[in-house]
Amino acid sequence: MQKHAESTADLNIHKDGEVVGFLAERDFTKEVITPQIAEEMLATALDPHVDDRAVDTYAKVMETDSWAMNGQPIIFDEEGRLLDGVQRLKACIQAGRPFTTFVARNIRSDILHTIDQHRRRNYLGVLQARGIDEAGAIHRTMAKLIRIENGVLGREQISISWSRFDRVLAANPELEAAVKLSNKYSKSTLHSKVRPVLCFMAIRAGHADKMENFLQQLTYHHTEGLDSPARMFGIQLSMWSQNAQDNRRAGRTGAGQNVDSVLGHAILHFNAYLRGEKLSKPLAWQPDFGMRKVTRVLNGEEVSDKVAGTEFDYDKNAAPSNLGLPVMTDYPGLREGHFDKTRVDDFVGETADLVHQGAVRGAGDAYITMLTVTPEMAQKWLSPQINRHNRKTQRNHVNAIARDIKAGNWMFNAQPICFTKDPTRDYESGDEPRLLNGQHRLLAIRDAETPIEIPIAVNIPEESFPTFDIHAKRTVRKAGPKADDRVLIAAARFQFKEDNNIPLSSSDMPTLTASELLQVLEEHPGLADNFAQSRRAGMQELGSAGVMTYFIYRVKRESPVLAEEFLQKIETGLNLTDSSDPAGKLRRELAKTSVGPRSRTRKEQIEALISHWNSYKQWAKRGQKANAAKAEEKSASAETRTEVQDELF
């Protein structure tokens, strides 16, 4: 190991007194980026896509002088075009503050699709890094409670900043007690995602003892009669569970009960429990999706317009707060939970303090060097002594990277694996470097049993750990002006399943890497050609853009002539004169469930589309045979008449 490090060090050069990694014309330098320089760099961007939330977050960090250089470089290709760093450069301009970062130059431009393919890091990773017990349960509970506090449960997904999580965690010590109480009754029939939320509300409302009794009745060791609201709720939970099992055995979808709906019913029954009521049947609650009557004007008069098989449509903007979720008796709410959703939170809290400490301490001796990382090196760096307090890994993501490495698709993209110290040196126990970023790549190198060349960032401040992977995963951009990239990627996933004999409706599918997705798109350029047709109004009623783009491409390949008439029928509803026509059946089946909360899943959409298309091919074949038989019979009849006429004359 030490010998390898020495040979690599020979490749380092010094510039302005600082170490600069350099190998095969790939150049890493440490630079101060001013707003003016940022403007000039952005003008060369190959992919100028902006993640506004990430830009605002980075800008808040820079405004408070808390920017900690975390080893992730701004990347340029051989022609000086910007490949990566748009969000940080935009933030620099927005904050009006310079920041120090590594800059990588002379990187091949065809690696653009491989940058930022990691999972977006969330606050759970921060909690895990702090060594907090039950980090996952606390994180999930906070997220649910914050959404409830802001009235958006079931209505919209809001972005919750790490600063907001920090504030809520610090202001609500009952969170830890709620998780402990929830875990005490892990054998109850109540969902594990509902229990800690319900427990927190009860503790905050002063009903901890009552909640413990309530949860006890949801176990097999219940002590109260069947008319107890707790026992009655337990019966309801058992019925839902049995229905789910029956649906799964029958191959039906929609087997599980919605978690938010379970929470609503739980609060409703707990309130009744607090009042000491006796029940003869379970209480019922339905979320209010803003159902409203739909009318249209015909010849100057309002006429009921039946939508989705009823006289009603759904408008979530008209729905009440949290879709009418019941409020627990005496629950005062979540401290520090409410915030202005239209602006980014100020960068404050424990995470902000740690990052600021790292920025103050600085990374003056940080540098990037190139290494060929072997499976043995990866295994050593993944040891608990070095890879400590990191977030949990995603096996699908590791497997995807390993497949790329084995297939020779791994491409050098200048994004380093980061350490607090040089990992190639030997250290005394307790003084080892810490791996800050890159564990998925190291796991993939180990599993693929193949070494790869990769940059290593050394002497990065440990406090910068929470700053990695803040912005969203980069979309693989391939479509150009023809189609929406995200739609095309969704269609490519279905095509990958078809090419690899994976059932289209199966969820048992590996996570695809950017290279694998691009390979599918290159092998099937016709996918993009059908995007426009998938976005026509009639097609949008039947399925999502990704599903319809793949489906249109598939049927046109299988039978161009039949596909043209089938697609025309399901899109417009024209020429459906035969009630047995599968195209008409498909249109009626999908269109009636395409609106509101009852819409079909992508799995259900693709199953229905393929099933009715296969039926249509058989139906059309039978029709062709019937027509041929009629033509033959007509021809035979004509010949008979001719023979009779010949005999007569």
Side-chain angles (χ1 to χ4, degrees), residues 37-249:
I37 294 174
E39 289 274 14
E40 296 169 356
M41 288 180 166
L42 284 169
T44 70
L46 278 180
D47 179 10
H49 176 72
V50 175
D51 181 339
D52 291 329
R53 178 65 60 172
V55 170
D56 289 341
T57 301
Y58 287 140
K60 288 289 185 183
V61 175
M62 293 177 183
E63 288 171 2
T64 57
D65 295 322
S66 297
W67 182 263
M69 193 169 72
N70 64 9
Q72 301 303 298
I74 307 291
I75 304 174
F76 291 88
D77 70 3
E78 309 97 322
E79 298 181 20
R81 296 174 298 185
L82 179 66
L83 297 180
D84 186 49
V86 169
Q87 322 310 327
R88 285 164 284 172
L89 295 174
K90 284 280 188 182
C92 173
I93 296 169
Q94 182 172 314
R97 302 283 185 88
F99 72 103
T100 302
T101 184
F102 286 114
V103 178
R105 292 185 172 83
N106 298 318
I107 308 301
R108 287 171 51 183
S109 59
D110 59 0
I111 56 84
L112 180 61
H113 68 277
T114 72
I115 295 176
D116 292 345
Q117 288 304 306
H118 43 63
R119 293 181 300 121
R120 183 171 185 164
R121 188 167 301 213
N122 60 25
Y123 186 73
L124 173 58
V126 175
L127 294 180
Q128 291 169 342
R130 293 180 191 169
I132 292 180
D133 292 335
E134 300 292 345
I138 289 177
H139 178 247
R140 287 192 303 271
T141 302
M142 281 197 295
K144 184 73 71 177
L145 289 167
I146 290 172
R147 290 186 170 90
I148 292 172
E149 194 69 23
N150 287 276
V152 299
L153 191 70
R155 296 179 55 176
E156 62 177 299
Q157 287 295 324
I158 58 173
S159 179
I160 304 172
S161 71
W162 293 2
S163 292
R164 181 58 50 187
F165 277 124
D166 269 347
R167 292 175 181 177
V168 169
L169 184 61
N172 296 273
E174 300 91 345
L175 283 163
E176 185 178 351
V179 171
K180 286 182 178 179
L181 179 57
S182 171
N183 289 342
K184 183 178 178 180
Y185 293 94
S186 60
K187 300 297 183 182
S188 77
T189 53
L190 188 57
H191 198 290
S192 61
K193 292 183 180 179
V194 175
R195 282 199 316 272
V197 176
L198 195 68
C199 288
F200 176 84
M201 291 178 173
I203 293 172
R204 282 280 289 139
H207 303 312
D209 292 341
K210 281 287 189 179
M211 176 54 65
E212 187 154 3
N213 293 337
F214 184 82
L215 293 175
Q216 180 68 49
Q217 306 313 308
L218 301 181
T219 70
Y220 292 110
H221 304 292
H222 44 72
T223 58
E224 300 179 2
L226 289 175
D227 56 357
S228 163
R231 290 292 308 282
M232 197 59 70
F233 181 48
I235 292 172
Q236 189 175 51
L237 290 172
S238 297
M239 291 172 57
W240 286 337
S241 177
Q242 185 60 53
N243 288 339
Q245 292 178 22
D246 293 343
N247 284 334
R248 282 193 291 269
R249 281 194 290 265

Side-chain angles (χ1 to χ4, degrees), residues 39 54 94 97 132 194 197 205 226 298 304 311 314 374 383 388 419 451 489 508 525 535 546 565 614 646:
E39 289 274 14
Q94 182 172 314
R97 302 283 185 88
I132 292 180
V194 175
V197 176
L226 289 175
L298 182 64
S304 174
E311 294 183 352
Y314 296 89
T374 66
S383 67
R388 53 186 185 270
F419 295 88
I489 295 305
D508 185 18
R535 292 296 77 209
E565 63 182 49
N614 289 334
D646 289 343

Side-chain angles (χ1 to χ4, degrees), residues 465-521:
F465 176 84
T467 69
F468 292 101
D469 309 339
I470 290 178
H471 52 273
K473 183 175 179 178
R474 184 187 296 262
T475 300
V476 178
R477 303 189 179 278
K478 181 69 176 175
K482 284 187 177 181
D484 182 277
D485 295 279
R486 291 169 296 181
V487 170
L488 207 52
I489 295 305
R493 294 183 192 280
F494 282 112
Q495 188 60 55
F496 179 90
K497 289 183 178 182
E498 179 188 328
D499 292 345
N500 291 274
N501 297 316
I502 301 173
L504 295 179
S505 59
S506 172
S507 57
D508 185 18
M509 175 184 169
T511 300
L512 300 185
T513 66
S515 297
E516 288 171 328
L517 285 170
L518 286 179
Q519 183 177 350
V520 173
L521 294 174

